[in-house]
Amino acid sequence: MFEAPVQKLIDELARLPGIGQKSAQRIAFHLLHVEETDARRLAEAVVEMRERVRLCARCFNVTDSEECSICRDLRRDPSAICVVERAQDVVVVERTHEFRGRYHVLGGAISPIEGVGPEQLRLRELIARIEPEGVTEVIVATNPTVEGDTTALYLARSLKPLGLTVTRLASGLPVGGDLDYADELTLGRALSGRREM
Amino acid sequence: MFEAPVQKLIDELARLPGIGQKSAQRIAFHLLHVEETDARRLAEAVVEMRERVRLCARCFNVTDSEECSICRDLRRDPSAICVVERAQDVVVVERTHEFRGRYHVLGGAISPIEGVGPEQLRLRELIARIEPEGVTEVIVATNPTVEGDTTALYLARSLKPLGLTVTRLASGLPVGGDLDYADELTLGRALSGRREM
């Protein structure tokens, strides 16, 4: 056991994802030895994020205003919505510069094992956007996992009757990858999704 | 780029040792989704540690008073001092329950490459303790690295003329280890340090 204030910080750090006891100790002693202003800046960044960040009233992306910067951007095409599981996925899709529509953050994926059903996700909020925003295409960008696939299927079934085009991100070989290293599931998807050249 | 308050927190987290961009993102979004009191408790633990923790006036271990709990403990034997590189090493030695003396934290090890000479370490402070505390043995528990070994040698040379017994932690095979996995340096030390049974 370390002196109380050090141990307390180690305990708090060890609760973070991916941080074990050893890393927590290392970080705590690092914070003990850096300039006091550096340590304070970290603490303030945590508090400030919690005080300022909330969810976009329209798409549930993170934002520091009523609506997120993407929903506020008039150059974005409102007729296409890209549906993602979590807010951090918005940035991942944005980095491709391939999508110019808006987003919708579901807040997770359907997972019977973890007790997450469609009613725990922001599906009603998605459907409510379709008409007023003039949405014609929904691109489902949930993860290529059992849960993501199940959610995609559920979305397709709910949205297609509304006359929407529902598409799903292609699954297949990662660019720059090696056939040798591809698992059979990915390779199977790449085969069944093959395209004429 | 994430919304400003999120990105700022990610940047601060990514400055911590062992935390890359990906882990920083994961931790930031974790802190965004936990209860606000949980996030605040982490921030407060950082600030509180910096406000309350200082270095023991005697041994330079971390403490929240003038002297650390070990130096204040009257049951500890003042005639033996265990010299360690960093404050976190005190807890490591304490866990063995094998040492009942006091400590001295050098604040590092001699490293010509990193420009750390004996004058950057708390050696003068160690020598100043010898007489008033009636020290008879100094156990050098610096790391078994080139820097730790150099520091140990330097300490032995400085302290032996004062009539002290200077010992060094044994180097050898880790308990529970496998000969097969021992590197040649460790095995060499284990051989040269062999003891009659």
Side-chain angles (χ1 to χ4, degrees):
Chain A
M1 286 289 282
F2 295 88
E3 299 277 316
V6 180
Q7 188 61 46
K8 201 171 146 194
L9 177 57
I10 292 173
D11 292 344
E12 288 301 328
L13 288 167
R15 296 160 66 110
L16 299 175
I19 307 280
Q21 274 295 321
K22 272 276 166 196
S23 318
Q25 274 178 38
R26 201 168 152 216
I27 295 171
F29 277 95
H30 168 85
L31 288 172
L32 192 57
H33 288 107
V34 295
E35 291 291 318
E36 179 151 7
T37 49
D38 287 343
R40 252 175 214 287
R41 221 176 30 240
L42 170 65
E44 281 159 13
V46 173
V47 173
E48 199 182 305
M49 184 194 66
R50 286 304 305 237
E51 276 172 0
R52 287 182 46 193
V53 171
R54 41 187 174 149
L55 299 183
C56 170
R58 187 190 296 269
C59 77
F60 303 96
N61 183 13
V62 292
T63 179
D64 50 7
S65 7
E66 171 71 13
E67 288 196 351
C68 78
S69 51
I70 296 170
C71 285
R72 286 198 314 266
D73 187 344
L74 297 173
R75 292 162 305 178
R76 307 288 300 215
D77 173 12
S79 74
I81 287 184
C82 177
V83 176
V84 293
E85 294 183 17
R86 303 162 311 159
Q88 48 266 58
D89 298 331
V90 171
V91 180
V92 179
V93 178
E94 279 296 281
R95 279 201 201 111
T96 67
H97 300 291
E98 294 279 347
F99 179 67
R100 296 301 300 161
R102 288 172 173 169
Y103 291 88
H104 190 82
V105 180
L106 285 180
I110 296 171
S111 168
I113 294 171
E114 291 180 39
V116 181
E119 60 289 346
Q120 267 90 52
L121 305 176
R122 302 192 193 97
L123 286 168
R124 215 172 310 121
E125 291 87 341
L126 173 61
I127 289 165
R129 291 177 61 184
I130 306 297
E131 230 191 76
E133 297 184 30
V135 178
T136 57
E137 181 180 5
V138 168
I139 299 166
V140 185
T142 52
N143 290 327
T145 57
V146 174
E147 293 78 13
D149 288 346
T150 308
T151 311
L153 211 64
Y154 187 92
L155 281 170
R157 284 202 192 136
S158 319
L159 299 172
K160 274 188 181 168
L162 306 177
L164 292 170
T165 307
V166 182
T167 56
R168 173 105 173 92
L169 291 192
S171 237
L173 298 172
V175 177
D178 191 317
L179 262 191
D180 247 14
Y181 288 98
D183 62 290
E184 48 270 51
L185 274 174
T186 302
L187 200 52
R189 290 257 185 124
L191 261 173
S192 66
R194 68 189 180 278
R195 295 171 66 169
E196 208 175 308
M197 302 176 50
Chain B
M1 285 287 284
F2 295 90
E3 299 276 315
V6 181
Q7 189 61 47
K8 201 171 146 193
L9 177 57
I10 291 172
D11 292 344
E12 288 300 328
L13 289 167
R15 296 160 67 111
L16 299 174
I19 308 279
Q21 274 296 320
K22 272 276 165 198
S23 319
Q25 275 178 35
R26 200 167 153 214
I27 295 171
F29 277 94
H30 169 85
L31 289 171
L32 192 57
H33 289 106
V34 296
E35 291 291 317
E36 178 150 7
T37 49
D38 287 343
R40 252 174 215 288
R41 219 173 34 238
L42 170 65
E44 280 158 13
V46 173
V47 173
E48 199 181 307
M49 183 193 68
R50 286 304 304 237
E51 276 172 358
R52 286 183 46 195
V53 172
R54 42 187 174 151
L55 299 183
C56 170
R58 187 188 297 269
C59 78
F60 302 96
N61 183 13
V62 292
T63 178
D64 50 6
S65 10
E66 171 72 11
E67 287 196 352
C68 78
S69 51
I70 295 170
C71 284
R72 286 199 313 265
D73 187 344
L74 297 174
R75 292 162 306 177
R76 306 288 301 215
D77 174 11
S79 75
I81 286 185
C82 177
V83 177
V84 293
E85 294 183 16
R86 303 162 311 161
Q88 48 265 59
D89 298 331
V90 170
V91 180
V92 180
V93 178
E94 279 297 281
R95 280 203 200 110
T96 67
H97 300 290
E98 294 279 347
F99 178 67
R100 297 300 302 161
R102 288 172 174 170
Y103 290 88
H104 191 82
V105 180
L106 285 180
I110 296 172
S111 168
I113 294 171
E114 291 181 38
V116 181
E119 61 288 345
Q120 267 90 53
L121 304 176
R122 301 191 194 98
L123 286 169
R124 216 173 308 122
E125 291 87 341
L126 172 62
I127 290 167
R129 289 177 62 183
I130 306 298
E131 229 191 75
E133 296 183 32
V135 178
T136 57
E137 182 180 5
V138 169
I139 299 167
V140 184
T142 52
N143 291 326
T145 56
V146 174
E147 293 78 14
D149 288 347
T150 309
T151 312
L153 210 65
Y154 188 92
L155 281 169
R157 284 202 192 136
S158 319
L159 298 172
K160 273 188 180 168
L162 307 177
L164 292 170
T165 307
V166 182
T167 55
R168 173 103 173 92
L169 291 191
S171 237
L173 299 172
V175 178
D178 190 318
L179 262 192
D180 247 14
Y181 289 98
D183 62 289
E184 48 272 51
L185 272 174
T186 302
L187 200 52
R189 290 257 186 125
L191 261 173
S192 66
R194 69 188 180 278
R195 295 172 65 169
E196 208 175 308
M197 300 175 52

